[in-house]
Amino acid sequence: MLFREREPFDKLVHESRSPLHRMLVNAIIWIGRLYAAGWILWLILLPLLVYHMNLIPFAGLILGPPVMALISLALICGLLFLLCSLVLWPLAPVFAWLTWLFLAMCNSMVETVLAWPGSHLWVGSIPLWWVILFYSMIVVIILFQIWEDHRKLFYLMASGWLLIGLVILNPRRPDGEMRVTFLSVGHGGCTVIELPDGRTLMYDVGSLRNPDLTRRVVAPYLWHRGIRRIDELYLSHADFDHYGGAIDLVERFRIGKVLCNPTFAEKENREVKATLDALASRRIPVHTIRAGQRRSYGDVSVDVLHPPNERIGDSENARSLVLLFRHAGHRILLT
């Protein structure tokens, strides 16, 4: 059994209390059992969430029972709405409104909790064999009925295995090489530069045809490479297909600083403002750079070739950052 029954003496004491007191105690115990069951389910499903979505939803530890209750009520009211639409149509609008109300309450609750600091954590990739071994351990515990006698041992083993998967198996180790990867994002651009000393730079992150660029392309690649921090993000210019994925990027990865062309913040549209607001809310510094400047990262140098000091052209394309990387006799031009 998942939860033990009361001892005879405790049951006698409980029955000697007033009906209201017993009702409150029973309600607290019932809610506690719901949360305990929810936490166990959360722990069991966590490896799948991390493997498929790279997400640890701590908010689920709080939201589980109330969300399930509201969704259940919405489903019941939805079914009654359908039945009343067929046989008792004057009551149909009432159940339609109740369905909307319960779903709206659920949505509001989820959005409120997700706004709390630490409500969720984006993590790196974990290997498939690690997931298989985790669920193999669960199957062994169920088949051999180890749960009742070794409950604390199960919690300890499960927590330790999760810690191994999330922390130990996915470190980023500098390999002394410079790796430049041009990600396929369609109409747009995203270049990841891994430096020999372990730092990571990125040049642009945007696409016109792929609004989920960061979630579907950029983040999976970075996690696969064991990258959890972008030391410097270069935004070449303020066209959406070159910066549109920045907001999702700062939600999933730590960003050291952002470097952009001098006119990036001057473009008056809500996407640019939202991007700058997202950077400011996380206290990520934004600096402008222009032609003639040079940046050094160990034995890697970066020359800024464009834009010049004077303002040119009427479009952001004409004022885009052009960078020349030099390393070990090789040159890479990012235009």
Side-chain angles (χ1 to χ4, degrees), residues 178-246:
M178 179 176 175
R179 176 188 292 255
V180 180
T181 306
F182 298 88
L183 299 181
S184 176
V185 298
H187 187 144
C190 182
T191 305
V192 180
I193 304 104
E194 300 173 59
L195 301 177
D197 61 5
R199 285 182 287 181
T200 301
L201 313 179
M202 183 177 290
Y203 178 83
D204 283 344
V205 53
S207 175
L208 276 185
R209 300 178 182 176
N210 189 356
D212 290 334
L213 161 74
T214 299
R215 181 173 66 88
R216 293 180 178 272
V217 180
V218 180
Y221 173 77
L222 295 176
W223 285 322
H224 170 73
R225 292 290 301 159
I227 298 171
R228 302 183 184 181
R229 171 185 168 88
I230 306 298
D231 293 277
E232 294 185 1
L233 170 62
Y234 288 89
L235 298 178
S236 64
H237 60 288
D239 283 341
F240 188 77
D241 55 332
H242 290 266
Y243 73 88

Side-chain angles (χ1 to χ4, degrees), residues 237 239 261 263 312-320:
H237 60 288
D239 283 341
N261 68 335
T263 58
I312 61 171
D314 296 326
S315 70
E316 275 293 291
N317 276 318
R319 298 189 289 268
S320 181

